[in-house]
Amino acid sequence: MLPFFLFIKMHNDFVDMYKNYIAIIGAGISGLTLGIVLKKQNIPCIIFEKLTSISEYGAGISISRNGKKVLEELEVLNKLKIISGNPKSTHFICNNKEITSFEVDHLTTSRKALHKVLLDKYISLNGKINFNYELVNIDNKKKLLSFSNNQNLYVNHIAACDGIKSVCRDSLLKNNSKPIYSGYSVWRSIFNKEQHHIEFHLGPNFHVVTYPINDKKTSFVAAIKTKESTKESWRKKGSFSELQTEVLSNVLERYPSLQDANEIYKWGVYTRKNIDKLFLDNITFLGDAAHPIVPFMGQGGCLAIEDGYIFGSLVSKFKNDYKRSQLIYKDLRLDRVKDIHSKSLNQAKFNHLKNPILIFFRNFLMKYTNIIHNITKSVWGYNAKEEINKIRLP
């Protein structure tokens, strides 16, 4: 039997074993991106993930130029391209007639594939990750984390990357975390179909986007304007018969194998009160834990990638001066996030027009003007590395 003083010493050593580490809560897109950046700069960090593995849940993801630039910096872009879809054009369709098309340089893939290349890269850098660590309590003043497995750990800084239902955010920002139904629900599925481009269908009170996630499978996303709220959950299953009641048959008929898909999911899109708190003492929020936004410009994943890269780069640049890193992180991120959130809400209205006259003018503008380019220019053209390089040390 161990002497009591030795038992106490071992206990304290365990509690303090990560006292010099940045604790990343959640092995999602922002968490893994941050982990890679920190490991490349030899900054001690560890990821705590509540699940045992990463599940796909019918989720595709589109990564525009701004996100691809960061993935290139992380040295994972080429590996992701090999297992993803690489469409060269987007086609906008209304009433089964093409309005316009243009070239794109997006990478379309599944979240599972993106997670795999990020996780593999993090592990290759000898990154530490603890699965089955579900956070149940957080004391950001003491920098103390408590997990459901009865482990209590002190850390150097906390990076909250635990998603839209963030335990970190809900615990510390109760008044800002209550979800508000946005008026939209979204269907998602991945089904067997070879497709080499992006298709974007516009309809009254709905729009549908399909894109390849690899050379055999296609992602289906349908956004519906509806007063009937749906649970905010990626795991809530729906049915093809229910989907048929919300999307025009002439759209669904273009994708006959969708009805054979094993998994079709439907979730409600919710917003939070304000996107204004990106950090508190000793804790920084990233990705959906920082700024859950509506998905109608496909930028949720890209913003998470940008967040992880920028905060990690700032911590490195300012030699672990977290307070300064947090302040500049907020300056670089808050206006951009709010701008994309606003544009996403407007995009949904633009997509879901019902009035025939307004539809005619929308389609005319899309076909004969640069309206799409003008809307997306500042979003897709963002360069996170350039933003970091603009910052001068004192």
Side-chain angles (χ1 to χ4, degrees):
M1 188 178 219
L2 285 173
F4 183 71
F5 78 89
L6 191 57
F7 173 80
I8 293 296
K9 181 181 184 305
M10 290 176 63
H11 173 74
N12 289 341
D13 285 348
F14 184 80
V15 169
D16 292 342
M17 66 187 299
Y18 296 121
K19 202 164 187 179
N20 295 321
Y21 284 67
I22 295 178
I24 301 170
I25 310 301
I29 295 172
S30 61
L32 287 170
T33 300
L34 174 60
I36 292 169
V37 175
L38 295 175
K39 288 301 298 181
K40 285 168 75 76
Q41 299 299 323
N42 295 314
I43 298 172
C45 65
I46 182 168
I47 297 176
F48 295 102
E49 169 55 47
K50 68 178 180 180
L51 301 177
T52 57
S53 62
I54 297 165
S55 212
E56 188 169 343
Y57 290 113
I61 186 170
S62 176
I63 304 173
S64 49
R65 188 164 62 253
N66 48 306
K68 288 173 63 178
K69 288 175 182 175
V70 176
L71 296 181
E72 189 171 23
E73 287 295 316
L74 301 181
E75 301 174 310
V76 300
L77 180 60
N78 289 336
K79 288 184 179 180
L80 186 57
K81 282 183 176 179
I82 294 171
I83 57 175
S84 302
N86 298 279
K88 302 302 180 186
S89 61
T90 294
H91 300 256
F92 287 88
I93 300 163
C94 183
N95 294 325
N96 254 5
K97 295 180 180 179
E98 184 169 306
I99 306 168
T100 188
S101 64
F102 56 86
E103 293 182 359
V104 293
D105 59 355
H106 286 28
L107 188 154
T108 54
T109 188
S110 67
R111 288 181 177 268
K112 190 173 184 178
L114 176 58
H115 275 103
K116 176 174 171 49
V117 298
L118 291 173
L119 180 59
D120 287 350
K121 181 64 177 181
Y122 178 70
I123 297 299
S124 75
L125 296 168
N126 295 318
K128 296 183 178 183
I129 182 167
N130 285 347
F131 288 100
N132 282 322
Y133 269 68
E134 181 179 7
L135 186 70
V136 293
N137 193 39
I138 180 170
D139 187 332
N140 62 308
K141 300 293 185 182
K142 295 181 179 179
K143 297 180 280 188
L144 177 63
L145 304 173
S146 300
F147 298 92
S148 60
N149 57 8
N150 296 320
Q151 303 300 330
N152 301 290
L153 301 170
Y154 287 102
V155 296
N156 192 19
H157 188 76
I158 304 159
C161 305
D162 52 341
I164 200 165
K165 293 187 176 181
S166 170
V167 172
C168 299
R169 189 175 185 88
D170 289 349
S171 298
L172 301 175
L173 296 171
K174 294 181 175 61
N175 293 334
N176 282 27
S177 292
K178 185 178 180 181
I180 304 167
Y181 180 57
S182 68
Y184 297 94
S185 292
V186 176
W187 291 84
R188 290 191 105 124
S189 186
I190 291 175
F191 61 101
N192 295 322
K193 185 181 186 298
E194 183 179 352
Q195 184 169 305
H196 301 288
H197 57 273
I198 301 170
E199 291 188 356
F200 205 116
H201 299 269
L202 304 176
N205 285 335
F206 80 89
H207 76 267
V208 170
V209 185
T210 63
Y211 52 79
I213 64 166
N214 55 41
D215 57 0
K216 296 180 180 178
K217 292 182 179 291
T218 293
S219 172
F220 174 94
V221 180
I224 313 297
K225 176 68 174 175
T226 173
K227 293 180 180 179
E228 184 179 345
S229 62
T230 304
K231 185 178 179 181
E232 186 183 34
S233 172
W234 282 65
R235 297 179 174 88
K236 184 180 184 301
K237 285 194 173 183
S239 66
F240 183 77
S241 58
E242 186 184 357
L243 175 61
Q244 286 179 301
T245 67
E246 298 189 332
V247 177
L248 294 178
S249 59
N250 62 9
V251 175
L252 297 178
E253 286 167 0
R254 298 171 70 105
Y255 312 103
S257 55
L258 178 61
Q259 58 188 309
D260 299 323
N262 293 326
E263 297 177 339
I264 298 177
Y265 297 94
K266 182 183 182 181
W267 86 97
V269 178
Y270 288 73
T271 60
R272 267 61 181 175
K273 185 177 180 181
N274 290 308
I275 303 173
D276 58 359
K277 292 286 187 183
L278 300 189
F279 68 86
L280 296 171
D281 288 341
N282 304 314
I283 183 168
T284 306
F285 302 99
L286 297 88
D288 283 341
H291 45 68
I293 65 172
V294 294
F296 306 122
M297 292 197 75
Q299 286 298 304
C302 288
L303 288 176
I305 292 169
E306 291 175 6
D307 284 354
Y309 177 82
I310 286 178
F311 184 65
S313 299
L314 290 171
V315 170
S316 173
K317 194 178 188 80
F318 296 116
K319 309 299 182 185
N320 295 353
D321 182 342
Y322 297 114
K323 181 56 65 179
R324 187 170 184 193
S325 298
Q326 286 178 320
L327 290 170
I328 297 178
Y329 171 72
K330 180 179 179 180
D331 287 344
L332 292 180
R333 304 306 295 153
L334 194 57
D335 287 345
R336 175 164 172 78
V337 168
K338 287 185 174 182
D339 178 60
I340 291 177
H341 181 59
S342 176
K343 286 180 176 177
S344 295
L345 288 170
N346 290 333
Q347 188 66 44
K349 296 174 183 178
F350 187 77
N351 293 343
H352 297 177
L353 294 176
K354 294 188 297 181
N355 185 298
I357 296 175
L358 294 179
I359 290 173
F360 171 82
F361 280 110
R362 178 198 65 195
N363 294 354
F364 179 89
L365 290 172
M366 292 177 68
K367 186 172 184 177
Y368 295 109
T369 75
N370 290 326
I371 186 171
I372 298 174
H373 172 76
N374 293 336
I375 292 172
T376 59
K377 182 179 179 181
S378 65
V379 177
W380 297 349
Y382 185 85
N383 190 318
K385 183 179 180 180
E386 287 183 358
E387 295 300 313
I388 294 295
N389 289 339
K390 290 176 184 176
I391 301 168
R392 295 287 177 258
L393 294 171

